[in-house]
Amino acid sequence: EEALCTTFRSWRAMAETPRGAEEAQPPPPVAKVEVEDLLAAMESFVPTIPEEVTHHYLRQSGFQTSDERIVRLVTLAAQKFASDVVQDSLQRCKWRREALRGKDRIDGRLVLATEDLTEALKEHGVTVVKPLYYADRDTELSELPQ
């Protein structure tokens, strides 16, 4: 699991490199040993997201492969993304709770709010827009479209 995290961190750093800097300095080559370690770690790691789900969405987007290692790698990348978003959401929830501690009496539970998740997703480049059919607290039922 540690090998997977280290490899994903290095790939993420390469992906976040600005275009101009990338052209000036090519990324360092990945050692054969690192690739073999990653493949070995992928074989023993059981992802939370079923590979059938990843396979379905890859096919739906037009990507076809017979190599199950590719599907496993995409599955692990999706799991890493989801894990990062959940971790950031939890952190925002804790910050919000600390801000409310002095104002209201709160119990010991952490409650994930949509705002926490929206802000965490925004940090990862995903914009969440509330659909029109949700009523705001200020909107009366008579103002809603029929």
Side-chain angles (χ1 to χ4, degrees):
E1 186 174 341
E2 184 62 34
L4 289 173
C5 290
T6 304
T7 305
F8 279 129
R9 280 190 213 110
S10 65
W11 287 350
R12 186 174 186 181
M14 289 187 331
E16 292 174 351
T17 304
R19 288 278 185 218
E22 184 179 275
E23 294 172 1
Q25 297 176 347
V30 178
K32 185 177 181 179
V33 175
E34 289 180 11
V35 174
E36 290 172 354
D37 289 345
L38 174 67
L39 293 175
M42 281 181 13
E43 290 299 322
S44 63
F45 188 75
V46 179
T48 304
I49 301 170
E51 290 183 23
E52 293 79 18
V53 172
T54 305
H55 219 327
H56 169 75
Y57 283 107
L58 286 174
R59 276 193 311 257
Q60 198 172 26
S61 67
F63 184 83
Q64 295 180 8
T65 183
S66 60
D67 191 353
E68 290 301 318
R69 295 177 301 178
I70 302 275
V71 176
R72 171 67 65 99
L73 185 62
V74 172
T75 301
L76 291 173
Q79 180 174 330
K80 173 76 168 99
F81 175 77
S83 174
D84 287 348
V85 169
V86 168
Q87 204 61 359
D88 291 348
S89 298
L90 176 64
Q91 188 63 41
R92 289 191 170 281
C93 181
K94 288 178 180 178
W95 290 341
R96 184 175 41 83
R97 183 176 179 202
E98 286 299 317
L100 292 176
R101 186 174 295 271
K103 295 179 183 178
D104 295 330
R105 191 175 145 193
I106 55 176
D107 58 4
R109 297 179 303 156
L110 289 176
V111 178
L112 178 65
T114 305
E115 292 79 21
D116 300 329
L117 185 58
T118 301
E119 288 300 316
L121 284 168
K122 190 184 295 183
E123 285 181 10
H124 292 275
V126 178
T127 304
V128 177
V129 180
K130 193 179 342 180
L132 295 175
Y133 56 83
Y134 284 120
D136 290 331
R137 289 180 227 162
D138 301 327
T139 305
E140 292 187 26
L141 291 175
S142 61
E143 296 176 10
L144 293 175
Q146 298 292 329

